[in-house]
């Protein structure tokens, strides 16, 4: 549904004004991953996983303004309850 419809796509969504997501997009990424998978990624890990931004413009720009996407690449090991195992726990 929405942007990327009909294609393989990753987790994502729109930033929300709550939780300071506009100032810290990693918070929005955490929320979206949790909502869509039940996986809880710590803020520090998501912030370290920031890759960059992609800016889209559209031919029908009068109706659809530009879109900015924040990209994160997170590799996780999970406990049974969906919590992420941190690096220290992995090494124990």
């Amino acid at each position: 549904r929405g942007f990327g419809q009909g294609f393989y796509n990753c987790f994502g969504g729109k930033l929300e004004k709550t939780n300071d997501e506009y100032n810290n997009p990693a918070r929005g990424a955490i929320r979206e991953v949790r909502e869509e998978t039940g996986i809880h990624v710590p803020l520090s890990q998501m912030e370290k996983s920031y890759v960059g931004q992609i800016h889209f413009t559209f031919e029908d720009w009068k109706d659809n303004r530009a879109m900015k996407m924040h990209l994160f690449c997170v590799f996780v090991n999970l406990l049974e309850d969906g919590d992420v195992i941190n690096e220290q726990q992995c090494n124990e």
Side-chain angles (χ1 to χ4, degrees):
R1 140 186 138 207
F3 190 73
Q5 181 178 0
F7 295 93
Y8 288 105
N9 214 329
C10 293
F11 311 114
K14 296 179 180 176
L15 296 176
E16 295 180 356
K17 291 180 182 179
T18 60
N19 202 25
D20 199 34
E21 293 180 7
Y22 285 122
N23 293 319
N24 189 344
R27 292 180 186 276
I30 291 168
R31 179 183 49 76
E32 287 292 342
V33 169
R34 184 181 307 128
E35 287 175 359
E36 296 178 23
T37 68
I39 296 171
H40 309 285
V41 180
L43 179 60
S44 61
Q45 183 170 357
M46 188 64 79
E47 288 175 333
K48 287 187 239 177
S49 301
Y50 187 74
V51 175
Q53 298 177 8
I54 298 177
H55 297 262
F56 291 93
T57 56
F58 302 94
E59 291 180 8
D60 60 345
W61 62 271
K62 291 182 181 178
D63 295 322
N64 293 302
R65 300 286 179 203
M67 177 188 299
K68 178 177 19 174
M69 294 177 64
H70 299 274
L71 304 173
F72 298 85
C73 183
V74 179
F75 295 92
V76 297
N77 293 306
L78 298 176
L79 297 168
E80 288 183 24
D81 63 1
D83 283 337
V84 173
I85 300 171
N86 64 37
E87 291 178 31
Q88 183 178 358
Q89 288 172 307
C90 286
N91 294 327
E92 292 177 352

